[in-house]
């Protein structure tokens, strides 16, 4: 075990995580998110179904953020369109507050999003999966999802050959979801940590992995990371 | 160079590439608009191929009876919609426990269940899925997909065509450029060393099957039973994809002197929750073994209660339609039985207690 640890210190970090490190990183991330995001739903750890009784393997699962509603402003011009995320429960409270005319407008324009962060054993990195549906449960076609994504998302996706959205089966749920393709993740994660092997010590990388990862990935789908969380990255 | 080793390796590849499943395909009642209804189509489907690729063979049988509309092809077996990106042979091995020959499937040309199945726009979708899996396999084996990304256009076309047409020679010509075979050189080299040397020393035979450390792309399809079944006919039917646990996880090989890594070892290493203590130590996962003992300190879930882990029993393993002896070297299985996208697909049936069964 000692020999392995020293090997790990010397080998340049390749930007990837082991499955158990992902679990630790997920715990750190969801805890920080709760601390800095009082008005947004928390990321919950969902143990994969088959292990629900085998507690020592609760480590296998994924992070889930569900029930996010994207409210589109009534601005006609795309450039003025702003993205507002709200929790599903807070929307119903708002509905009571407005008058009937506006109520209809809000209901029409609300798209619901669920986000899952799932570990990929092949690429050894986290992968963002998401799906979107109208208030009546009808899934959104990709064309509509694209309209929801922030303007800079298309730019990021076209500039980076690594970051593109595909439709694939969710690894645990047997349903089609959208995902951000993982094959370039380790490359830019390495860059984010400046390939600094010293950071491997004391689990710094693991603790901050998902915050850094999410600061990039979140931009593609328009989920912002609060400044306070980003500040925890500087040492 | 050992003649014997080379011949048997290519024989196995040939058998795998020639493997096929006879299908008897019935058009769904709701799409039959003529009387008498068309007879079912008898089609020989390559094991290594994919169901949507059969459309050109099937369409002529049914086109005159289909209702108006756009074709959106999908298949089902006893009510279960079939995942089109899983190779045909794997679907058969998994879902038809008692092999049915021909295998009776229902085809639909309308009403695609897009809430359940990924969209499929014909050959292009299948090709994209294939190349994507190939990239993933390359990443697993080499740590990057550069070799696949850098394939010339003509090589890509030839690779896909060779899979479409089941042309092994053409496939080997192009795929060898990718240099993705982890075990090939080492295994055949060692075997040839053994066959020319004395066969009496069993220690040498063990050493011959040593493999270097690395990761092997594997896709495991696991279903569970709670009781023994005497014959395959009485095995429970998989009528729901939630009853299959799909494990897309590489097998990690560690070099062990004097010991070879068997198929049994490989499968158990992918199922640590059912076979605790079977995993080889993994860099970066050294902490997992400690956390097993400290599970009550899991801060993410303070309510976790620990139940005793049980050892499950492997009841059935099927790869390319055969049930290999579990003690054979895993390297042989990978080299000879993997699919063209460099993944080894393994269907496994486990016997477990009620509490641990997949719903």
């Amino acid at each position: 075990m000692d020999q392995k640890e020293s090997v790990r210190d010397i080998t340049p970090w390749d930007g990837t995580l082991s499955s158990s490190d992902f679990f630790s990183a997920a715990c750190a991330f969801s805890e920080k998110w709760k601390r800095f995001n009082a008005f947004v739903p928390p990321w919950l750890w969902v143990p994969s179904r088959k292990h629900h009784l085998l507690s020592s393997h609760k480590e296998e699962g994924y992070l889930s953020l569900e029930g996010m509603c994207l409210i589109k402003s009534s601005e006609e011009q795309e450039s003025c369109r702003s993205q507002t995320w709200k929790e599903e429960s807070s929307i119903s409270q708002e509905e009571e507050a407005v008058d009937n005319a506006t109520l209809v407008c809000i209901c029409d324009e609300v798209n619901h999003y669920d986000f899952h962060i799932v570990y990929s054993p092949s690429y050894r990195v986290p992968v963002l999966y998401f799906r979107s549906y109208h208030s009546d449960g009808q899934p959104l076609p990709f064309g509509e999802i694209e309209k929801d994504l922030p303007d800079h998302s298309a730019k990021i996706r076209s500039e980076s050959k690594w970051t593109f959205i595909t439709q694939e089966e969710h690894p645990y749920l047997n349903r089609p979801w959208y995902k951000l393709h993982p094959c370039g993740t380790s490359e830019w994660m390495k860059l984010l940590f400046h390939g600094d092997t010293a950071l491997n010590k004391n689990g710094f990388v693991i603790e901050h992995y998902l915050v850094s990862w999410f600061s990039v990935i979140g931009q593609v789908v328009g989920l912002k990371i609060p400044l306070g969380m980003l500040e925890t990255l500087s040492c | 160079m050992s003649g014997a080793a080379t011949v048997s390796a290519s024989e196995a590849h040939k058998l795998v590439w020639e493997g096929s499943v006879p299908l008897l395909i019935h058009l769904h009642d709701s799409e039959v608009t003529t009387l008498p209804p068309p007879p079912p189509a008898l089609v020989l489907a390559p094991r290594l191929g994919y169901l949507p690729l059969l459309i050109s063979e099937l369409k002529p049988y049914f086109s005159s009876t289909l209702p108006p509309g756009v074709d959106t092809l999908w298949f089902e077996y006893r009510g279960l919609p079939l995942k089109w990106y899983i190779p045909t042979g794997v679907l058969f091995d998994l879902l038809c426990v008692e092999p049915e020959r021909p295998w009776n499937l229902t085809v639909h040309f309308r009403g695609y269940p897009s809430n359940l199945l990924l969209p499929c726009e014909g050959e292009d979708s299948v090709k994209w899925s294939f190349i994507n899996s190939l990239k993933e396999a390359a990443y697993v084996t080499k740590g990057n997909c550069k070799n696949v990304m850098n394939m010339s256009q003509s090589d890509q076309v030839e690779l896909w065509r060779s899979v479409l047409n089941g042309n092994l020679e053409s496939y080997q010509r192009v795929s060898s450029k990718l240099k993705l075979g982890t075990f090939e050189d080492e295994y055949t080299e060692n075997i040839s060393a053994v066959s020319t040397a004395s066969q009496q020393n069993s220690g040498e035979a063990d050493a011959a099957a040593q493999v270097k450390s690395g990761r092997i792309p594997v896709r495991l399809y696991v279903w569970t039973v709670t009781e023994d079944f005497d014959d395959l006919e009485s095995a429970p039917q998989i009528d729901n994809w939630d009853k299959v646990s799909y494990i897309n996880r590489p097998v990690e090989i560690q070099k062990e002197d004097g010991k070879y890594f068997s198929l049994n070892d490989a499968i158990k290493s992918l199922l640590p929750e059912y076979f605790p203590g079977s995993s080889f130590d993994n860099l970066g996962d050294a902490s997992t073994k400690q956390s097993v003992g400290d599970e009550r300190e899991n801060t993410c879930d303070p309510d976790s209660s620990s139940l005793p882990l049980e050892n499950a029993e492997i009841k059935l393993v099927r790869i390319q339609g055969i049930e290999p002896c579990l003690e054979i070297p895993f390297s042989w299985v990978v080299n000879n039985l993997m699919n063209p996208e460099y993944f080894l697909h393994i269907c496994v049936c486990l016997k477990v207690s009620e509490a641990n069964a997949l719903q």
Side-chain angles (χ1 to χ4, degrees), chain A residues 31-44:
Chain A
E31 190 259 329
K32 283 208 179 91
W33 178 273
K34 250 191 289 201
R35 247 198 292 151
F36 290 96
N37 261 320
F39 304 105
V40 173
W43 285 91
L44 298 173

Side-chain angles (χ1 to χ4, degrees), chain A residues 3-232:
Chain A
Q3 204 198 2
K4 278 180 189 161
E5 273 179 4
S6 55
V7 165
R8 199 178 167 182
D9 284 347
I10 293 165
T11 320
W13 183 55
D14 61 1
T16 66
L17 281 181
S18 73
S19 163
S20 50
D21 286 346
F22 171 73
F23 176 67
S24 310
C27 290
F29 178 73
S30 70
E31 190 259 329
K32 283 208 179 91
W33 178 273
K34 250 191 289 201
R35 247 198 292 151
F36 290 96
N37 261 320
F39 304 105
V40 173
W43 285 91
L44 298 173
W45 180 260
V46 179
S48 68
R49 189 187 35 87
K50 64 183 180 288
H51 299 140
H52 74 286
L53 290 173
L54 302 172
S55 56
S56 66
H57 288 273
K58 266 189 150 55
E59 288 184 8
E60 205 182 307
Y62 54 91
L63 276 174
S64 162
L65 178 68
E66 295 190 2
M68 293 294 281
C69 293
L70 181 57
I71 303 178
K72 299 197 277 221
S73 74
S74 52
E75 290 295 333
E76 293 290 339
Q77 294 148 334
E78 298 256 316
S79 55
C80 299
R81 179 162 49 91
S82 62
Q83 258 195 341
T84 317
W85 288 103
K86 288 206 184 268
E87 196 174 352
E88 254 167 11
S89 54
S90 70
I91 297 224
S92 42
Q93 283 163 26
E94 263 184 45
E95 283 171 358
E96 286 158 20
V98 298
D99 65 50
N100 288 334
T102 338
L103 184 69
V104 170
C105 187
I106 288 179
C107 283
D108 281 338
E109 292 300 313
V110 173
N111 291 336
H112 300 250
Y113 278 80
D114 294 336
F115 297 95
H116 289 179
I117 303 178
V118 188
Y119 179 73
S120 163
S122 296
Y123 292 96
R124 292 171 55 89
V125 293
V127 182
L128 184 73
Y129 285 81
F130 65 94
R131 66 173 174 186
S132 176
Y133 42 96
H134 293 295
S135 301
D136 62 5
Q138 276 300 310
L140 256 65
F142 187 66
E144 280 205 46
I145 293 181
E146 268 211 303
K147 288 196 216 143
D148 281 347
L149 298 176
D151 299 326
H152 54 262
S153 169
K155 192 162 175 286
I156 297 173
R157 281 182 286 127
S158 62
E159 280 174 5
S160 157
K161 62 175 160 74
W162 297 326
T163 314
F164 52 97
I165 296 176
T166 66
Q167 202 173 8
E168 264 183 50
E169 201 167 274
H170 191 289
Y172 295 111
L173 301 180
N174 285 320
R175 290 288 184 280
W177 279 59
Y178 289 96
K179 89 174 199 194
L180 276 180
H181 206 275
C183 69
T185 304
S186 61
E187 295 294 315
W188 51 261
M189 282 306 296
K190 230 182 354 190
L191 292 176
L192 282 182
F193 283 95
H194 307 291
D196 191 344
T197 55
L199 295 178
N200 243 343
K201 300 198 168 126
N202 305 318
F204 181 88
V205 166
I206 296 170
E207 169 123 1
H208 295 91
Y209 191 99
L210 276 178
V211 177
S212 308
W213 175 85
F214 196 79
S215 68
V216 176
I217 290 290
Q219 288 184 59
V220 183
V221 293
L223 280 179
K224 293 201 181 71
I225 202 166
L227 202 56
M229 268 180 93
L230 283 174
E231 277 165 4
T232 65

Side-chain angles (χ1 to χ4, degrees), chain B residues 168-180:
Chain B
L168 176 58
E169 265 172 44
S170 168
Y171 171 78
Q172 282 176 332
R173 197 166 44 239
V174 186
S175 64
S176 55
K177 298 185 197 176
L178 294 173
K179 299 202 190 305
L180 282 177

Side-chain angles (χ1 to χ4, degrees), chain A residues 20 27 58 122 169 174, chain B residues 83 85 136 215 285 300-301:
Chain A
S20 50
C27 290
K58 266 189 150 55
S122 296
E169 201 167 274
N174 285 320
Chain B
K83 299 185 184 189
Y85 52 86
E136 190 181 335
R215 306 202 305 153
D285 276 341
C300 266
D301 186 354

